[in-house]
Amino acid sequence: MSGVLRRLALIVLLCGAVLAVAGTADAHDPIILTPQQTSPAAGPLILDGTVSFALYGTLLTGNDHRGFRARFRAGDLITVTLLLPDLAPENELTDAQRPGLTMTAPDGTSAPIQPGEVSRFTESFTGTKYIQYVSLKGPAVAGDYGFTVAGLVPARFTVAIGVTEQFGTPVNDITNRSVGVAGVKEWYATAPPALVAATDPTTTVGPTTTVDPTTTVDPTTTVPDTVDVVEETVPAVGKEGSPKTAVVIGAGAVAIIGLGVGLSRRRRR
């Protein structure tokens, strides 16, 4: 098929066949995307894109990416959906903050899949709840399609692909194939680290940012009674002198006098 026809097919997929079908993640074989799988080329390769898989990932920072590939035969039906867990903080994100999904055709043509109707549902296989807001369905050309999830803020996400239930289908370029329901529940229960830090009490203003106790007035430095006594017995030191200066000089004088008396007593002995 020529490049022009492939581009037309991609346009049909992205613009003319966007659907919102609640419950699309039901009975999908789970795959956990790792932080290292930041592009389609670095992600898993699903050898049959019509088999139902659910790929679970977490964007750990702003502008983070996750990717995977799926192989289709000419005329196969591409069915793909992007979802978020329906719990905080993801269900509090604005439309602009939600991750987006981009599809790349076998000829290298890429385009974002536009968000559509928003729906909520509970996935019966794992008992987890989701918000579905991006969905696409349409015919494929032969070859490997790339899918990239990216966002402006940290967030968990799920990409559901395929409709044929066939658990255990081989997947290339993956090391955690057998995560199962336990892996999905662990992913679901683990909020993005950056968002956890934003609400963690240990990240609030710490003691080092408060007034240091050592900078307060030490009670031993006030001694108002001592100052009164010194002012009566020690002459003021010039016009620029101060009670504190007088205290220091007076203390020094006492020390010198004491030293002189001690030396005098030693000489007499």
Side-chain angles (χ1 to χ4, degrees), residues 14-15 18 101 111-116 133-135:
L14 297 177
C15 301
V18 176
L101 178 63
I113 303 175
Q114 297 301 320
Y133 62 102
V134 174
S135 187

Side-chain angles (χ1 to χ4, degrees), residues 114-130:
Q114 297 301 320
E117 181 182 348
V118 177
S119 60
R120 286 175 163 82
F121 68 96
T122 299
E123 193 272 294
S124 60
F125 187 61
T126 59
T128 49
K129 298 181 179 181
Y130 294 93

